Amino acid sequence: MTRAPATLRVVRGLLLTHLGSHGLTGGEVGIVADGNHRGGYHCGEDRVISGDYSVVESPRDRAGLTLDAAGLDVGMFEVRASGHDLRSFSTWCVRQCAANAPDTRDIREIIYSPDGRTVRRWDRLRRRATGDLSHLYHTHFSFHRDAIKAGRDQTPLFRRYLTTIGLLEDAMALSAEDLDKVRSATARGIYDALWVAAQGQPYRDLAYTGPGSIGKAIRTNLQALTVAPVLAALAAKDLVSEEEVVAGILAALTPEAIASAIPDDLAGQVADELARRLAE
């Protein structure tokens, strides 16, 4: 049956994490359509219909058709301190798409209302210009199905918006020296967490991981890490324990991915430390 792909679940979690305190609720951020719905980007291959526009109008969609849904709905919210809401969010995203910003190129269409009275549609294929009146109260994003099938990260556009309105710190604004410190501290923390987990021991913070827990370090510095795609799924959740972080990493990271997260100047130290522990 139609399923919600991990890439869109991460976007959903990101929006709820940062906009949940501004009126956006879980029921207003949807990926898979209800059981009565047939056809469109909220449906996977088991629920599309003959001649479905979400399949036949683009070779990207035909090639990417799977059981995954490729649509995302975002409901009402208002960030009163800055005056941003669903309307300004929608028009901002449409402007980025119209400008062909690199992080928008997997978006097929956005159905939205700029004023709460009229419904408009930005369509990459220029097939349609409007939608039904339900879009007065929510904005719909369609993603080309081949992007969803490939598992491409869809958070950059939404992170950029949240950064623009001041709800998300721009991690890329850190200096090169700060980024090296982040990578080194987090890589050390990950390796220690993995080591104790492999030994069946409970995880405890180590002094040299810096102030706070590894969970906090991972969430705060997510964009600075080479393992960001794996950790993004964890960052979309309300992490409360190091054990959960460790479990998520163990379930998803390959040895190659772990190795890629270690700066060159730290690799030798990690190898020596692992060799020492294995010899104990």
Side-chain angles (χ1 to χ4, degrees):
M1 52 191 299
T2 294
R3 61 201 176 200
T7 49
L8 296 188
R9 293 200 307 270
V10 171
V11 174
R12 181 179 186 274
L14 176 71
L15 294 175
L16 288 173
T17 294
H18 295 282
L19 296 174
S21 59
H22 300 283
L24 187 65
T25 66
E28 295 178 301
V29 188
I31 299 173
V32 177
D34 63 40
N36 295 321
H37 197 94
R38 289 292 182 274
Y41 286 91
H42 286 296
C43 295
E45 62 183 343
D46 61 323
R47 289 167 59 182
V48 296
I49 58 177
S50 177
D52 198 313
Y53 90 103
S54 74
V55 179
V56 302
E57 291 183 352
S58 169
R60 295 188 61 182
D61 292 327
R62 289 194 295 274
L65 182 62
T66 66
L67 284 173
D68 287 333
L72 179 75
D73 286 341
V74 180
M76 303 290 285
F77 66 87
E78 181 181 9
V79 184
R80 294 183 180 178
S82 58
H84 290 276
D85 59 13
L86 178 66
R87 315 298 181 204
S88 60
F89 162 69
S90 304
T91 54
W92 183 90
C93 289
V94 167
R95 287 197 302 271
Q96 304 308 305
C97 288
N100 199 32
D103 54 7
T104 68
R105 292 171 185 169
D106 287 335
I107 295 178
R108 152 73 197 269
E109 63 185 352
I110 301 176
I111 311 174
Y112 68 107
S113 175
D115 53 16
R117 297 185 300 275
T118 58
V119 175
R120 296 181 182 175
R121 182 187 314 225
W122 177 86
D123 184 352
R124 185 173 298 277
L125 302 182
R126 300 181 180 180
R127 297 294 189 99
R128 298 166 188 79
T130 189
D132 67 63
L133 294 181
S134 70
H135 297 92
L136 293 175
Y137 310 104
H138 78 274
T139 293
H140 169 83
F141 293 82
S142 295
F143 298 85
H144 278 301
R145 294 182 184 273
D146 63 347
I148 301 301
K149 182 178 181 179
R152 274 201 295 277
D153 181 12
Q154 300 301 327
T155 61
L157 174 68
F158 302 97
R159 288 186 176 279
R160 191 154 60 86
Y161 171 75
L162 293 169
T163 300
T164 298
I165 67 172
L167 292 183
L168 186 65
E169 182 179 351
D170 185 2
M172 300 313 292
L174 295 174
S175 68
E177 182 180 358
D178 287 338
L179 290 180
D180 284 341
K181 291 178 181 178
V182 167
R183 291 190 182 99
S184 295
T186 307
R188 289 189 185 103
I190 288 174
Y191 263 83
D192 277 291
L194 291 171
W195 177 265
V196 295
Q199 306 304 308
Q201 304 170 26
Y203 176 75
R204 295 291 180 268
D205 287 333
L206 298 179
Y208 59 68
T209 60
S213 68
I214 184 176
K216 180 179 178 181
I218 286 174
R219 284 181 289 166
T220 302
N221 303 296
L222 178 63
Q223 288 177 301
L225 303 176
T226 57
V227 292
V230 173
L231 299 176
L234 296 172
K237 301 167 63 177
D238 183 17
L239 299 180
V240 295
S241 70
E242 285 73 22
E243 287 80 2
E244 185 176 5
V245 177
V246 173
I249 294 171
L250 285 171
L253 283 180
T254 64
E256 292 78 13
I258 296 170
S260 70
I262 305 175
D264 292 341
D265 61 352
L266 182 62
Q269 299 175 47
V270 171
D272 291 343
E273 178 63 12
L274 288 176
R276 182 187 67 79
R277 296 188 186 189
L278 289 170
E280 291 178 352

